[in-house]
Amino acid sequence: MTNNSKLVELYILMKRIRTFEERVSELFIKGHTAGSMLHLSIGEEIAAASMGKAMLKNDSFTTHHRGHGIFLARGGDPKYMMAEIAGKKDGYCKGKGGSMHIADMKLGHLGSNAIVGGGIPTVIGAGLSYKYQSLPYISVAFFGDGAMQQGILYESMNMAALWKLPAVFCCINNQYGMGTKVDRAVGLKDFSGRAKSFGLNTVHITTLDVEKAYFKAKPIIEDARNGKPGFIEIECYRFYGHARMDKSLYRQEKEEKKGRKEDPITFAKNKLINNKLLTIQQIYQLDLVISNEMDKAMNFAIKSPLNSNREIFKDVFDNDKPLPTSIKARINKILNS
Ligand SMILES: Cc1ncc(C[n+]2csc(CCOP(=O)(O)OP(=O)(O)O)c2C)c(N)n1
């Protein structure tokens, strides 16, 4: 595949991720999402798209709580993803995981984890199993800059380097951990330097150009496949609040305006036009197809049935044990004894 067609592919993927999350946001406003927390990656699509395309079939990954884009980039079906976020029966985990806990082993998604840094060590297990079985796959842990302060990352990087595992640690540095700017959370921002000191191959991606990001990430991924684990930091900007209801009052309007101007999708669109790869009309047509795809996914999620009361407990508790009784039944039992 030529570089030119790669940019078209990457643009389409970023646009699909953005549109998917815009519809998820709509789903939330309409009261169709399960639970109150929803973390969008609008503005950060360059990370999911470049990494998602640079990984190969059968490679696996874990994500943090902001992982919709990564799952979509790895082949997640927007219909079943949206149904999961809505807590419906047709969701990837029958609606029992929701936005923050989607997983699908068939697509190599080893789980999303809401504990900051919690998904990182899983890739050590996956990497070890690939090495042990001589399988040509890698496993990637996706996490935010907040996880750079978690000890488990350093234990995992050390083991990956020591055992020469096919593992990659990908830090999506969106500049914030909830309301705390990264400058106020770390003494030294040289994340790659930290990883290098453990013996990892590193790259620090600061561009808005998704194509460049892809070509910088690819060799790190392929080196990992050959037993040299890697660390990739991708800088971007979280356009909106930490979660859907966060109005990010801790940020200056001026900063947000500047951050939102640095949009990887707008950058890719301009590059496509300037390099005469696509016309404005062709991009408009592509965007329309994507918009229709995500409308269908949203309607699918809304129409998907809820689980029955009995189904809700399945796969959550040990299936061989009796189901827990309701709190009301337990209180009545005490009162009547
Ligand atoms: C161990 C742990 N500490 C604190 C929290 C609360 N918490 C949830 S998200 C978050 C910020 C994480 O920031 P980052 O890792 O940069 O990811 P981002 O939300 O920016 O994508 C925090 C502190 C948590 N879930 N787990």
Side-chain angles (χ1 to χ4, degrees):
M1 178 162 292
T2 65
N3 292 5
N4 288 351
S5 52
K6 187 53 79 189
L7 181 60
V8 175
E9 225 183 85
L10 288 163
Y11 170 79
I12 292 172
L13 182 52
M14 288 201 294
K15 188 72 188 179
R16 286 182 71 229
I17 296 170
R18 169 90 40 109
T19 314
F20 175 84
E21 291 211 305
E22 284 167 354
R23 295 297 184 280
V24 169
S25 183
E26 212 178 310
L27 209 62
F28 178 88
I29 295 291
K30 288 178 176 164
H32 289 292
T33 54
S36 58
M37 294 299 273
L38 190 64
H39 305 87
L40 303 177
S41 63
I42 294 182
E44 307 177 18
E45 295 86 354
I46 188 168
S50 57
M51 289 295 295
K53 286 281 176 202
M55 290 162 69
L56 298 181
K57 194 166 183 272
N58 294 325
D59 287 346
S60 64
F61 61 102
T62 60
T63 77
H64 58 339
H65 50 279
R66 204 180 296 284
H68 303 155
I70 297 152
F71 190 20
L72 216 135
R74 292 302 300 154
D77 185 320
K79 287 200 303 291
Y80 306 128
M81 285 176 66
M82 204 85 83
E84 183 61 36
I85 294 167
K88 300 293 189 69
K89 208 174 170 175
D90 293 312
Y92 270 105
C93 308
K94 299 182 197 159
K96 295 172 202 178
S99 161
M100 274 194 280
H101 301 284
I102 300 184
D104 180 33
M105 299 291 165
K106 283 195 237 56
L107 288 172
H109 191 337
L110 306 180
S112 327
N113 203 309
I115 304 296
V116 173
I120 296 172
T122 307
V123 304
I124 297 300
L128 185 61
S129 112
Y130 299 151
K131 188 170 174 173
Y132 193 69
Q133 299 175 78
S134 301
L135 293 171
Y137 313 139
I138 58 146
S139 197
V140 183
F142 290 96
F143 49 89
D145 41 282
M148 287 304 303
Q149 279 58 256
Q150 293 295 93
I152 190 68
L153 170 65
Y154 301 96
E155 295 173 50
S156 302
M157 289 199 293
N158 183 52
M159 282 177 113
L162 182 68
W163 292 343
K164 300 185 174 43
L165 299 180
V168 173
F169 303 88
C170 181
C171 172
I172 303 176
N173 181 355
N174 64 9
Q175 315 300 325
Y176 281 87
M178 296 186 93
T180 307
K181 196 162 186 176
V182 66
D183 314 73
R184 296 182 59 226
V186 297
L188 182 68
K189 263 202 296 178
D190 181 13
F191 293 160
S192 294
R194 295 188 199 174
K196 209 175 275 174
S197 76
F198 282 86
L200 265 64
N201 228 355
T202 66
V203 69
H204 180 191
I205 299 175
T206 56
T207 180
L208 269 187
D209 186 337
V210 68
E211 201 180 11
K212 279 195 183 147
Y214 168 88
F215 285 108
K216 276 179 184 263
K218 189 74 181 159
I220 301 281
I221 287 175
E222 290 317 310
D223 278 355
R225 208 177 295 288
N226 295 315
K228 178 119 179 65
F231 174 90
I232 300 172
E233 177 189 354
I234 305 178
E235 287 212 40
C236 47
Y237 189 72
R238 193 190 75 202
F239 280 12
Y240 300 103
H242 167 72
R244 184 61 184 76
M245 292 305 281
D246 172 17
K247 294 191 169 58
S248 52
L249 297 175
Y250 42 83
R251 303 203 296 204
Q252 300 285 329
E253 214 182 305
K254 205 169 127 199
E255 180 200 296
E256 288 203 332
K257 268 194 184 154
K258 182 175 173 288
R260 288 181 197 149
K261 261 194 191 158
E262 291 175 358
D263 184 342
I265 298 187
T266 310
F267 187 97
K269 195 184 280 191
N270 290 338
K271 191 171 170 185
L272 286 168
I273 296 166
N274 293 340
N275 291 358
K276 299 200 178 353
L277 296 171
L278 290 177
T279 63
I280 295 177
Q281 286 75 15
Q282 283 170 321
I283 293 176
Y284 176 78
Q285 284 305 323
L286 279 177
D287 291 355
L288 201 62
V289 170
I290 293 168
S291 180
N292 288 338
E293 179 197 15
M294 298 311 165
D295 278 343
K296 276 189 192 142
M298 189 172 72
N299 292 329
F300 175 84
I302 293 171
K303 284 190 189 134
S304 171
L306 283 165
N307 286 306
S308 65
N309 283 351
R310 275 210 88 66
E311 173 61 35
I312 284 170
F313 291 108
K314 275 194 204 151
D315 312 316
V316 177
F317 295 97
D318 185 339
N319 287 344
D320 296 332
K321 299 246 165 70
L323 289 178
T325 48
S326 70
I327 292 180
K328 197 172 161 194
R330 273 180 273 165
I331 291 173
N332 280 338
K333 196 176 162 197
I334 295 166
L335 292 177
N336 296 330
S337 63

Short mmCIF file of all heavy atoms in Angstrom, two decimals, residues 51 120 139-145 147-149 153-154 156-157 160-161 165-173 189-205 216-221 223-224 228-235:
data_model
loop_
_atom_site.label_atom_id
_atom_site.label_comp_id
_atom_site.label_asym_id
_atom_site.label_seq_id
_atom_site.Cartn_x
_atom_site.Cartn_y
_atom_site.Cartn_z
N MET A 51 -1.96 3.89 15.79
CA MET A 51 -1.59 2.62 16.44
C MET A 51 -2.45 1.46 15.91
O MET A 51 -1.95 0.38 15.63
CB MET A 51 -1.77 2.73 17.96
CG MET A 51 -0.75 3.60 18.64
SD MET A 51 0.93 2.95 18.51
CE MET A 51 0.85 1.43 19.44
N ILE A 120 -2.22 -2.42 32.29
CA ILE A 120 -0.85 -2.53 31.76
C ILE A 120 -0.23 -3.93 31.94
O ILE A 120 0.30 -4.49 30.97
CB ILE A 120 0.06 -1.42 32.36
CG1 ILE A 120 -0.45 -0.04 31.90
CG2 ILE A 120 1.52 -1.63 31.98
CD1 ILE A 120 0.24 1.14 32.58
N SER A 139 1.42 -7.50 22.01
CA SER A 139 0.32 -7.01 22.83
C SER A 139 0.63 -5.57 23.24
O SER A 139 1.76 -5.27 23.65
CB SER A 139 0.15 -7.90 24.06
OG SER A 139 -1.11 -7.68 24.63
N VAL A 140 -0.36 -4.69 23.09
CA VAL A 140 -0.14 -3.26 23.38
C VAL A 140 -1.01 -2.80 24.54
O VAL A 140 -2.21 -3.05 24.56
CB VAL A 140 -0.49 -2.39 22.14
CG1 VAL A 140 -0.18 -0.92 22.41
CG2 VAL A 140 0.25 -2.86 20.91
N ALA A 141 -0.39 -2.13 25.51
CA ALA A 141 -1.16 -1.52 26.61
C ALA A 141 -1.35 -0.05 26.28
O ALA A 141 -0.37 0.67 26.07
CB ALA A 141 -0.39 -1.67 27.91
N PHE A 142 -2.61 0.40 26.22
CA PHE A 142 -2.90 1.82 26.01
C PHE A 142 -3.27 2.43 27.35
O PHE A 142 -4.10 1.87 28.09
CB PHE A 142 -4.06 1.98 25.02
CG PHE A 142 -3.72 1.61 23.61
CD1 PHE A 142 -4.02 0.35 23.11
CD2 PHE A 142 -3.11 2.53 22.76
CE1 PHE A 142 -3.71 -0.01 21.81
CE2 PHE A 142 -2.78 2.18 21.45
CZ PHE A 142 -3.09 0.91 20.97
N PHE A 143 -2.71 3.59 27.65
CA PHE A 143 -3.02 4.26 28.91
C PHE A 143 -2.76 5.75 28.76
O PHE A 143 -2.17 6.20 27.77
CB PHE A 143 -2.17 3.67 30.05
CG PHE A 143 -0.70 3.57 29.73
CD1 PHE A 143 0.16 4.62 29.99
CD2 PHE A 143 -0.18 2.42 29.12
CE1 PHE A 143 1.51 4.54 29.68
CE2 PHE A 143 1.18 2.34 28.79
CZ PHE A 143 2.02 3.40 29.07
N GLY A 144 -3.17 6.53 29.76
CA GLY A 144 -2.98 7.98 29.69
C GLY A 144 -1.74 8.43 30.43
O GLY A 144 -1.05 7.63 31.07
N ASP A 145 -1.48 9.74 30.38
CA ASP A 145 -0.31 10.29 31.08
C ASP A 145 -0.43 10.08 32.59
O ASP A 145 0.58 10.01 33.29
CB ASP A 145 -0.12 11.77 30.75
CG ASP A 145 -1.43 12.53 30.71
OD1 ASP A 145 -2.16 12.40 29.72
OD2 ASP A 145 -1.75 13.21 31.71
N ALA A 147 -1.21 7.43 34.09
CA ALA A 147 -0.64 6.12 34.45
C ALA A 147 0.89 6.16 34.48
O ALA A 147 1.52 5.22 34.97
CB ALA A 147 -1.12 5.05 33.47
N MET A 148 1.48 7.25 33.96
CA MET A 148 2.95 7.35 34.00
C MET A 148 3.45 7.47 35.44
O MET A 148 4.63 7.34 35.70
CB MET A 148 3.43 8.58 33.19
CG MET A 148 3.32 8.45 31.69
SD MET A 148 4.17 7.04 30.93
CE MET A 148 5.86 7.19 31.43
N GLN A 149 2.54 7.75 36.36
CA GLN A 149 2.93 7.88 37.77
C GLN A 149 2.57 6.63 38.56
O GLN A 149 2.63 6.63 39.79
CB GLN A 149 2.26 9.11 38.40
CG GLN A 149 2.96 10.42 38.09
CD GLN A 149 3.07 10.70 36.61
OE1 GLN A 149 4.15 10.56 36.03
NE2 GLN A 149 1.96 11.08 35.98
N LEU A 153 3.42 0.29 35.95
CA LEU A 153 3.99 0.52 34.62
C LEU A 153 5.47 0.17 34.63
O LEU A 153 5.98 -0.48 33.70
CB LEU A 153 3.77 1.98 34.18
CG LEU A 153 4.52 2.40 32.91
CD1 LEU A 153 4.00 1.64 31.69
CD2 LEU A 153 4.36 3.90 32.67
N TYR A 154 6.16 0.57 35.68
CA TYR A 154 7.62 0.37 35.74
C TYR A 154 7.96 -1.09 36.00
O TYR A 154 8.93 -1.61 35.45
CB TYR A 154 8.23 1.34 36.77
CG TYR A 154 7.89 2.74 36.32
CD1 TYR A 154 6.78 3.41 36.83
CD2 TYR A 154 8.61 3.32 35.29
CE1 TYR A 154 6.42 4.65 36.33
CE2 TYR A 154 8.25 4.56 34.78
CZ TYR A 154 7.14 5.22 35.30
OH TYR A 154 6.78 6.42 34.78
N SER A 156 6.12 -3.51 34.94
CA SER A 156 5.81 -4.17 33.66
C SER A 156 6.90 -3.90 32.62
O SER A 156 7.32 -4.81 31.90
CB SER A 156 4.46 -3.70 33.13
OG SER A 156 3.46 -3.96 34.08
N MET A 157 7.35 -2.65 32.53
CA MET A 157 8.38 -2.33 31.53
C MET A 157 9.65 -3.11 31.83
O MET A 157 10.34 -3.61 30.94
CB MET A 157 8.66 -0.82 31.50
CG MET A 157 7.51 -0.03 30.90
SD MET A 157 7.94 1.64 30.32
CE MET A 157 8.33 2.48 31.82
N ALA A 160 9.15 -6.71 30.75
CA ALA A 160 9.13 -6.80 29.28
C ALA A 160 10.55 -6.75 28.73
O ALA A 160 10.92 -7.53 27.84
CB ALA A 160 8.29 -5.67 28.69
N ALA A 161 11.37 -5.85 29.30
CA ALA A 161 12.75 -5.72 28.82
C ALA A 161 13.57 -6.95 29.20
O ALA A 161 14.32 -7.49 28.39
CB ALA A 161 13.38 -4.46 29.41
N LEU A 165 9.99 -9.40 25.73
CA LEU A 165 8.62 -9.76 25.33
C LEU A 165 8.11 -8.92 24.17
O LEU A 165 8.48 -7.74 24.04
CB LEU A 165 7.67 -9.60 26.52
CG LEU A 165 7.98 -10.48 27.74
CD1 LEU A 165 6.97 -10.23 28.84
CD2 LEU A 165 8.00 -11.95 27.36
N PRO A 166 7.22 -9.49 23.36
CA PRO A 166 6.61 -8.71 22.27
C PRO A 166 5.51 -7.80 22.83
O PRO A 166 4.32 -8.04 22.61
CB PRO A 166 6.06 -9.79 21.34
CG PRO A 166 5.78 -10.96 22.24
CD PRO A 166 6.77 -10.90 23.36
N ALA A 167 5.92 -6.79 23.58
CA ALA A 167 4.95 -5.90 24.23
C ALA A 167 5.27 -4.45 23.92
O ALA A 167 6.44 -4.09 23.77
CB ALA A 167 4.98 -6.12 25.74
N VAL A 168 4.21 -3.64 23.80
CA VAL A 168 4.39 -2.20 23.56
C VAL A 168 3.56 -1.44 24.58
O VAL A 168 2.42 -1.81 24.87
CB VAL A 168 3.96 -1.80 22.12
CG1 VAL A 168 3.99 -0.29 21.94
CG2 VAL A 168 4.86 -2.47 21.08
N PHE A 169 4.14 -0.39 25.15
CA PHE A 169 3.43 0.47 26.11
C PHE A 169 3.15 1.78 25.39
O PHE A 169 4.07 2.46 24.95
CB PHE A 169 4.32 0.69 27.34
CG PHE A 169 4.71 -0.61 27.99
CD1 PHE A 169 5.86 -1.29 27.58
CD2 PHE A 169 3.92 -1.19 28.97
CE1 PHE A 169 6.22 -2.51 28.14
CE2 PHE A 169 4.26 -2.41 29.54
CZ PHE A 169 5.41 -3.07 29.12
N CYS A 170 1.86 2.10 25.25
CA CYS A 170 1.51 3.31 24.49
C CYS A 170 0.82 4.32 25.39
O CYS A 170 -0.32 4.12 25.83
CB CYS A 170 0.61 2.95 23.30
SG CYS A 170 0.17 4.41 22.33
N CYS A 171 1.52 5.41 25.66
CA CYS A 171 0.97 6.47 26.52
C CYS A 171 0.30 7.53 25.64
O CYS A 171 0.96 8.19 24.84
CB CYS A 171 2.10 7.11 27.33
SG CYS A 171 1.56 8.56 28.25
N ILE A 172 -1.01 7.68 25.80
CA ILE A 172 -1.73 8.72 25.07
C ILE A 172 -1.75 9.94 25.99
O ILE A 172 -2.54 10.02 26.94
CB ILE A 172 -3.16 8.26 24.70
CG1 ILE A 172 -3.09 6.96 23.88
CG2 ILE A 172 -3.89 9.36 23.93
CD1 ILE A 172 -4.43 6.36 23.53
N ASN A 173 -0.82 10.84 25.73
CA ASN A 173 -0.66 12.01 26.61
C ASN A 173 -1.59 13.13 26.13
O ASN A 173 -1.24 13.91 25.24
CB ASN A 173 0.80 12.47 26.59
CG ASN A 173 1.02 13.65 27.50
OD1 ASN A 173 0.08 14.20 28.08
ND2 ASN A 173 2.27 14.07 27.63
N LYS A 189 9.11 15.74 32.47
CA LYS A 189 8.14 15.22 31.50
C LYS A 189 8.74 14.29 30.44
O LYS A 189 8.07 13.94 29.48
CB LYS A 189 7.44 16.39 30.82
CG LYS A 189 6.09 16.70 31.47
CD LYS A 189 5.16 17.45 30.56
CE LYS A 189 5.64 18.81 30.17
NZ LYS A 189 4.79 19.53 29.26
N ASP A 190 9.98 13.89 30.62
CA ASP A 190 10.62 13.05 29.61
C ASP A 190 10.19 11.59 29.80
O ASP A 190 10.93 10.76 30.31
CB ASP A 190 12.14 13.19 29.75
CG ASP A 190 12.88 12.36 28.72
OD1 ASP A 190 12.23 11.88 27.77
OD2 ASP A 190 14.09 12.16 28.87
N PHE A 191 8.96 11.29 29.38
CA PHE A 191 8.41 9.94 29.57
C PHE A 191 9.24 8.89 28.81
O PHE A 191 9.49 7.80 29.29
CB PHE A 191 6.95 9.86 29.12
CG PHE A 191 6.01 10.67 29.98
CD1 PHE A 191 4.76 11.05 29.49
CD2 PHE A 191 6.35 11.04 31.27
CE1 PHE A 191 3.88 11.79 30.27
CE2 PHE A 191 5.48 11.77 32.07
CZ PHE A 191 4.24 12.15 31.56
N SER A 192 9.65 9.24 27.60
CA SER A 192 10.44 8.30 26.80
C SER A 192 11.75 7.99 27.50
O SER A 192 12.22 6.84 27.48
CB SER A 192 10.76 8.88 25.43
OG SER A 192 9.58 9.03 24.70
N GLY A 193 12.33 9.01 28.12
CA GLY A 193 13.60 8.82 28.85
C GLY A 193 13.43 7.79 29.95
O GLY A 193 14.31 6.95 30.17
N ARG A 194 12.29 7.85 30.62
CA ARG A 194 12.04 6.88 31.69
C ARG A 194 12.01 5.47 31.12
O ARG A 194 12.60 4.55 31.67
CB ARG A 194 10.68 7.14 32.36
CG ARG A 194 10.57 8.46 33.09
CD ARG A 194 9.25 8.45 33.84
NE ARG A 194 8.80 9.78 34.22
CZ ARG A 194 7.62 10.01 34.77
NH1 ARG A 194 6.78 9.04 35.01
NH2 ARG A 194 7.26 11.23 35.10
N ALA A 195 11.28 5.31 29.99
CA ALA A 195 11.15 3.98 29.38
C ALA A 195 12.51 3.49 28.87
O ALA A 195 12.84 2.31 28.99
CB ALA A 195 10.13 4.02 28.26
N LYS A 196 13.27 4.43 28.30
CA LYS A 196 14.59 4.08 27.75
C LYS A 196 15.49 3.51 28.86
O LYS A 196 16.25 2.58 28.65
CB LYS A 196 15.22 5.33 27.13
CG LYS A 196 16.17 5.04 25.99
CD LYS A 196 16.66 6.31 25.34
CE LYS A 196 15.69 6.81 24.29
NZ LYS A 196 16.06 8.10 23.73
N SER A 197 15.36 4.09 30.05
CA SER A 197 16.22 3.65 31.16
C SER A 197 15.93 2.20 31.56
O SER A 197 16.73 1.57 32.23
CB SER A 197 16.08 4.58 32.36
OG SER A 197 14.87 4.32 33.03
N PHE A 198 14.78 1.67 31.14
CA PHE A 198 14.47 0.25 31.41
C PHE A 198 14.95 -0.64 30.26
O PHE A 198 14.78 -1.85 30.31
CB PHE A 198 12.95 0.06 31.61
CG PHE A 198 12.49 0.49 32.97
CD1 PHE A 198 12.16 1.80 33.23
CD2 PHE A 198 12.42 -0.43 34.01
CE1 PHE A 198 11.76 2.21 34.49
CE2 PHE A 198 12.02 -0.04 35.28
CZ PHE A 198 11.69 1.29 35.53
N GLY A 199 15.45 -0.02 29.21
CA GLY A 199 15.95 -0.80 28.08
C GLY A 199 14.94 -0.93 26.95
O GLY A 199 15.06 -1.81 26.10
N LEU A 200 13.92 -0.06 26.94
CA LEU A 200 12.91 -0.14 25.88
C LEU A 200 13.27 0.75 24.70
O LEU A 200 13.95 1.77 24.86
CB LEU A 200 11.53 0.27 26.44
CG LEU A 200 10.64 -0.87 26.92
CD1 LEU A 200 11.27 -1.59 28.10
CD2 LEU A 200 9.28 -0.36 27.32
N ASN A 201 12.79 0.36 23.55
CA ASN A 201 12.86 1.15 22.34
C ASN A 201 11.81 2.25 22.48
O ASN A 201 10.68 1.94 22.85
CB ASN A 201 12.33 0.22 21.23
CG ASN A 201 13.19 0.19 20.04
OD1 ASN A 201 14.16 0.92 19.96
ND2 ASN A 201 12.83 -0.67 19.10
N THR A 202 12.12 3.49 22.18
CA THR A 202 11.10 4.52 22.44
C THR A 202 10.90 5.47 21.26
O THR A 202 11.81 5.68 20.46
CB THR A 202 11.48 5.39 23.66
OG1 THR A 202 12.65 6.13 23.35
CG2 THR A 202 11.72 4.56 24.90
N VAL A 203 9.70 6.06 21.23
CA VAL A 203 9.46 7.16 20.30
C VAL A 203 8.46 8.12 20.94
O VAL A 203 7.54 7.70 21.65
CB VAL A 203 8.98 6.67 18.90
CG1 VAL A 203 7.58 6.09 18.93
CG2 VAL A 203 9.01 7.81 17.89
N HIS A 204 8.69 9.42 20.72
CA HIS A 204 7.82 10.45 21.26
C HIS A 204 7.18 11.17 20.07
O HIS A 204 7.86 11.82 19.30
CB HIS A 204 8.68 11.43 22.09
CG HIS A 204 7.92 12.54 22.71
ND1 HIS A 204 8.53 13.61 23.30
CD2 HIS A 204 6.58 12.75 22.86
CE1 HIS A 204 7.61 14.43 23.77
NE2 HIS A 204 6.42 13.94 23.51
N ILE A 205 5.86 10.99 19.92
CA ILE A 205 5.17 11.52 18.75
C ILE A 205 4.44 12.81 19.12
O ILE A 205 3.57 12.80 19.99
CB ILE A 205 4.21 10.45 18.17
CG1 ILE A 205 5.03 9.22 17.74
CG2 ILE A 205 3.38 11.01 17.03
CD1 ILE A 205 4.20 8.03 17.26
N LYS A 216 5.99 6.54 12.42
CA LYS A 216 6.89 6.56 13.58
C LYS A 216 6.59 5.38 14.51
O LYS A 216 7.49 4.80 15.12
CB LYS A 216 6.73 7.87 14.36
CG LYS A 216 7.56 9.00 13.78
CD LYS A 216 7.33 10.28 14.57
CE LYS A 216 8.07 11.42 13.92
NZ LYS A 216 9.36 11.69 14.52
N ALA A 217 5.31 5.04 14.62
CA ALA A 217 4.91 3.96 15.53
C ALA A 217 5.26 2.58 14.96
O ALA A 217 5.62 1.66 15.70
CB ALA A 217 3.42 4.05 15.82
N LYS A 218 5.11 2.45 13.65
CA LYS A 218 5.25 1.13 12.99
C LYS A 218 6.57 0.40 13.33
O LYS A 218 6.55 -0.77 13.73
CB LYS A 218 5.10 1.33 11.47
CG LYS A 218 5.01 0.06 10.68
CD LYS A 218 3.67 -0.62 10.83
CE LYS A 218 3.60 -1.91 10.05
NZ LYS A 218 2.55 -2.79 10.55
N PRO A 219 7.76 1.07 13.20
CA PRO A 219 8.99 0.32 13.50
C PRO A 219 9.10 -0.12 14.95
O PRO A 219 9.67 -1.18 15.23
CB PRO A 219 10.12 1.33 13.17
CG PRO A 219 9.49 2.57 12.69
CD PRO A 219 8.01 2.41 12.67
N ILE A 220 8.52 0.65 15.87
CA ILE A 220 8.58 0.27 17.29
C ILE A 220 7.76 -1.01 17.48
O ILE A 220 8.18 -1.95 18.17
CB ILE A 220 8.01 1.40 18.19
CG1 ILE A 220 8.80 2.69 18.00
CG2 ILE A 220 7.96 0.97 19.66
CD1 ILE A 220 10.12 2.77 18.72
N ILE A 221 6.61 -1.06 16.81
CA ILE A 221 5.74 -2.23 16.89
C ILE A 221 6.43 -3.46 16.28
O ILE A 221 6.41 -4.54 16.86
CB ILE A 221 4.39 -1.93 16.20
CG1 ILE A 221 3.59 -0.97 17.09
CG2 ILE A 221 3.61 -3.19 15.87
CD1 ILE A 221 2.29 -0.49 16.50
N ASP A 223 9.67 -3.95 15.91
CA ASP A 223 10.80 -4.36 16.76
C ASP A 223 10.30 -5.20 17.93
O ASP A 223 10.93 -6.17 18.32
CB ASP A 223 11.55 -3.13 17.30
CG ASP A 223 12.54 -2.58 16.27
OD1 ASP A 223 12.69 -3.21 15.21
OD2 ASP A 223 13.14 -1.52 16.53
N ALA A 224 9.14 -4.80 18.47
CA ALA A 224 8.57 -5.55 19.60
C ALA A 224 8.25 -6.98 19.16
O ALA A 224 8.45 -7.94 19.89
CB ALA A 224 7.32 -4.86 20.13
N LYS A 228 12.01 -6.93 20.94
CA LYS A 228 12.54 -5.71 21.56
C LYS A 228 11.35 -4.85 21.95
O LYS A 228 10.79 -4.12 21.14
CB LYS A 228 13.47 -4.99 20.56
CG LYS A 228 14.05 -3.69 21.07
CD LYS A 228 15.57 -3.73 21.14
CE LYS A 228 16.23 -2.44 21.63
NZ LYS A 228 15.96 -2.05 22.98
N PRO A 229 10.90 -4.95 23.20
CA PRO A 229 9.70 -4.22 23.61
C PRO A 229 9.86 -2.70 23.47
O PRO A 229 10.98 -2.19 23.49
CB PRO A 229 9.52 -4.62 25.08
CG PRO A 229 10.82 -5.16 25.52
CD PRO A 229 11.49 -5.72 24.30
N GLY A 230 8.73 -2.02 23.31
CA GLY A 230 8.80 -0.58 23.03
C GLY A 230 7.85 0.27 23.86
O GLY A 230 6.92 -0.23 24.51
N PHE A 231 8.12 1.57 23.80
CA PHE A 231 7.30 2.57 24.48
C PHE A 231 7.02 3.68 23.48
O PHE A 231 7.93 4.20 22.84
CB PHE A 231 8.06 3.12 25.69
CG PHE A 231 7.35 4.26 26.37
CD1 PHE A 231 6.44 4.02 27.39
CD2 PHE A 231 7.59 5.58 25.99
CE1 PHE A 231 5.78 5.08 28.03
CE2 PHE A 231 6.93 6.64 26.61
CZ PHE A 231 6.03 6.38 27.63
N ILE A 232 5.74 4.02 23.34
CA ILE A 232 5.35 5.07 22.39
C ILE A 232 4.54 6.11 23.15
O ILE A 232 3.53 5.77 23.78
CB ILE A 232 4.50 4.48 21.23
CG1 ILE A 232 5.31 3.41 20.48
CG2 ILE A 232 4.00 5.57 20.30
CD1 ILE A 232 4.50 2.63 19.44
N GLU A 233 4.97 7.36 23.09
CA GLU A 233 4.16 8.44 23.69
C GLU A 233 3.57 9.25 22.55
O GLU A 233 4.29 9.68 21.65
CB GLU A 233 5.01 9.36 24.58
CG GLU A 233 4.19 10.52 25.14
CD GLU A 233 5.03 11.58 25.85
OE1 GLU A 233 6.25 11.39 26.01
OE2 GLU A 233 4.45 12.62 26.22
N ILE A 234 2.25 9.43 22.58
CA ILE A 234 1.60 10.23 21.55
C ILE A 234 0.96 11.44 22.23
O ILE A 234 0.07 11.28 23.06
CB ILE A 234 0.54 9.42 20.76
CG1 ILE A 234 1.19 8.14 20.20
CG2 ILE A 234 -0.08 10.27 19.66
CD1 ILE A 234 0.25 7.23 19.43
N GLU A 235 1.44 12.62 21.88
CA GLU A 235 0.88 13.83 22.50
C GLU A 235 -0.34 14.30 21.72
O GLU A 235 -0.37 14.26 20.48
CB GLU A 235 1.93 14.94 22.54
CG GLU A 235 2.99 14.65 23.58
CD GLU A 235 3.56 15.91 24.22
OE1 GLU A 235 2.80 16.87 24.48
OE2 GLU A 235 4.79 15.90 24.45
#
